[in-house]
Amino acid sequence: MLSLRPCLTLSACAALAACWDGGAPEIAEQGGLPVDCALDGGESFETVCMLKPVEGTHQFVLWRPDGGFRRFESSPGGGWQAADGAELATSSTETNSEFLELTVAGDRFRIKSSQLPEPRHD
C-alpha cells in the first residue's frame, strides 16, 4: 500500500511554488491585475500589489499585500491623482514607455498602461 505522505509533500511544494511568483495567482483569484510595487521606500519592485478598476468610473484602487490601499482617479487635465487621503500622489511616464509609475507616501507602483481604466477627457 502506498503512503499518502509523498503525495501530500508534493502537493505542498506545488502550492508553495505557485505562491513564489510574487503573488500573481492570489491576485488573479481576487479579480485584480498584478502590479509591480516598491513599498515603504523600498528600491526594488516586486509583483505583490493588485490593481482593481472601479466599474462605471474613471478610478482604480491599488492594493498592498498587507490590505492597505490607495484609490486613484483620472484628473481633468490628464494623468492620475489620489482620490482619497491627505497625501498627494505623483505620477510619471517615461517617453515611449508602456508603464506609468505612481508614488504616494513612500510607495511606488509601476502599472502597464493597458491595465489602466479609460481616463476622463473633459
Side-chain angles (χ1 to χ4, degrees):
M1 179 172 198
L2 293 175
S3 169
L4 289 178
R5 185 170 295 185
C7 292
L8 294 174
T9 302
L10 288 174
S11 296
C13 289
L16 286 173
C19 295
W20 186 252
D21 72 346
E26 294 86 11
I27 291 170
E29 289 171 5
Q30 296 175 33
L33 303 168
V35 171
D36 294 339
C37 55
L39 304 174
D40 303 317
E43 290 296 317
S44 61
F45 284 91
E46 295 181 58
T47 310
V48 295
C49 293
M50 173 175 54
L51 181 144
K52 281 186 150 182
V54 179
E55 288 193 39
T57 71
H58 301 285
Q59 298 183 352
F60 61 90
V61 179
L62 290 171
W63 290 88
R64 294 171 46 113
D66 64 5
F69 65 92
R70 299 284 182 177
R71 181 181 299 268
F72 292 88
E73 65 184 348
S74 176
S75 61
W80 298 91
Q81 63 189 19
D84 55 11
E87 296 162 293
L88 295 176
T90 60
S91 64
S92 65
T93 306
E94 294 179 24
T95 306
N96 297 326
S97 176
E98 65 178 284
F99 292 95
L100 167 72
E101 187 173 308
L102 291 169
T103 303
V104 64
D107 293 340
R108 294 182 301 141
F109 302 91
R110 187 170 32 202
I111 306 161
K112 289 182 182 178
S113 299
S114 62
Q115 293 177 309
L116 295 168
E118 185 68 28
R120 292 183 356 197
H121 298 288
D122 49 26

